[in-house]
Amino acid sequence: MKSSIHPVSRPVVFRDIATGTAFLTRSTADAEQRVRWEDGNTYPVIDVETSSASHPFYTGTRQVLDTAGRIEQFRRRYGTAGVARG
């Protein structure tokens, strides 16, 4: 691997600002702000708005769509006249 063409990979802490959850991983991103991690070392910290700790897909809090209500709303608005049934 050529050393002059690849970006430097370093340990970085990503912190979810919605939940306060933080995790340490390797990244090429760098930040001015530093944080002391559980192992006693300081690492650059990058604040993110959404992570697996706060995203509805991963937390299981996603909204259930009411498809039956949408169909009824469509029928009230546009009616069922003129719809070909086959």
Side-chain angles (χ1 to χ4, degrees):
M1 187 162 80
K2 293 183 180 178
S3 61
S4 61
I5 62 170
H6 295 284
V8 177
S9 176
R10 65 183 67 80
V12 176
V13 174
F14 286 91
R15 182 172 49 200
D16 187 341
I17 55 178
T19 62
T21 306
F23 55 94
L24 178 66
T25 187
R26 295 194 65 82
S27 177
T28 58
D30 196 10
E32 299 276 333
Q33 188 179 6
R34 304 276 182 199
V35 67
R36 182 169 300 279
W37 191 245
E38 300 161 353
D39 62 1
N41 295 327
T42 58
Y43 299 105
V45 63
I46 298 175
D47 291 325
V48 294
E49 294 182 13
T50 305
S51 72
S52 60
S54 64
H55 194 279
F57 179 79
Y58 295 105
T59 60
T61 58
R62 53 184 169 176
Q63 298 176 350
V64 177
L65 297 178
D66 180 22
T67 56
R70 289 182 179 207
I71 293 170
E72 292 304 318
Q73 182 182 6
F74 177 83
R75 287 185 179 156
R76 279 195 308 268
R77 184 178 296 161
Y78 299 109
T80 56
V83 175
R85 298 192 185 238

